[in-house]
Amino acid sequence: MQAQSHELSPKDILSYSNGKKVRFFHVDGEHTPEFLTSDLKLATACIDARGVICLDDMLHAGYPTLAVTVHEFLATEPSLRVFCIIDREDISAQTKYMICREPMFDFYIDQLLRAFPHNIWPLGADFRYEKKALVLARDPQLPNFDDLL
Ligand SMILES: C[S@@+](CC[C@H](N)C(=O)[O-])C[C@H]1O[C@@H](n2cnc3c(N)ncnc32)[C@H](O)[C@@H]1O
């Protein structure tokens, strides 16, 4: 479907999936607060109970306020949680946030821990939940500051 995402309704999206709710919704459209908020609302209305919303270009040097928009949106949707940050560390392949409904939080973390045991950054991501979200990275080493002295 080629369309302006802010002109789409959940019904438009679900008409492409025989009315079934969406398992994976990737957002990588217009990087403004207004459009991102609209895309987040659309994605949230379309995902099923186990669905995942993946947001591209979070923490991007060129779009430093995108993450702020996400956090403002999440404050209005407490049923959603960021369960993983994928740190791709490249200006053209930027960090992604992975979001699910709160009851699926542990499930997806456990699955990713099993699938990518060598890519877990040990400190995790602090979203102020009672448990940290996962951070996946290509080379998830902790810096050794003693080496710099
Ligand atoms: C970086 S590209 C996404 C590439 C895509 N994620 C992929 O892997 O093929 C961003 C795309 O978002 C589209 N886009 C930007 N604003 C949009 C909007 N308001 N509605 C729909 N698409 C939009 C652009 O035309 C462009 O194709």
Side-chain angles (χ1 to χ4, degrees):
M1 165 191 330
Q2 255 189 340
Q4 285 288 335
S5 58
H6 68 287
E7 292 172 359
L8 293 173
S9 68
K11 209 172 151 197
D12 294 327
I13 302 273
L14 300 181
S15 70
Y16 277 77
S17 59
N18 290 328
K20 277 192 191 163
K21 288 224 162 179
V22 172
R23 290 290 308 276
F24 189 84
F25 198 121
H26 187 251
V27 175
D28 186 14
E30 194 164 326
H31 289 349
T32 60
E34 297 76 18
F35 277 83
L36 179 56
T37 303
S38 168
D39 289 348
L40 282 164
K41 282 183 189 163
L42 184 63
T44 303
C46 289
I47 57 166
D48 78 8
R50 296 175 296 168
V52 169
I53 302 171
C54 180
L55 306 178
D56 199 23
D57 290 340
M58 298 292 108
L59 316 179
H60 189 301
Y63 305 98
T65 69
L66 278 192
V68 177
T69 300
V70 174
H71 293 291
E72 284 171 358
F73 176 78
L74 290 174
T76 70
E77 284 283 347
S79 74
L80 297 176
R81 291 209 170 177
V82 182
F83 64 89
C84 179
I85 293 186
I86 304 174
D87 181 12
R88 300 194 294 164
E89 291 182 358
D90 186 309
I91 198 73
S92 58
Q94 275 288 334
T95 305
K96 292 182 190 279
Y97 279 12
M98 306 283 280
I99 296 173
C100 66
R101 301 255 181 226
E102 190 274 332
M104 297 305 295
F105 185 79
D106 286 335
F107 172 83
Y108 282 124
I109 288 180
D110 290 347
Q111 296 297 316
L112 289 175
L113 281 170
R114 271 184 232 193
F116 300 104
H118 305 298
N119 298 95
I120 313 293
W121 190 62
L123 298 187
D126 186 2
F127 281 92
R128 314 309 294 168
Y129 309 142
E130 63 280 0
K131 180 176 166 183
K132 286 192 178 174
L134 209 59
V135 176
L136 292 182
R138 268 189 212 163
D139 184 14
Q141 294 178 28
L142 288 173
N144 187 347
F145 294 110
D146 292 340
D147 290 348
L148 303 174
L149 296 176

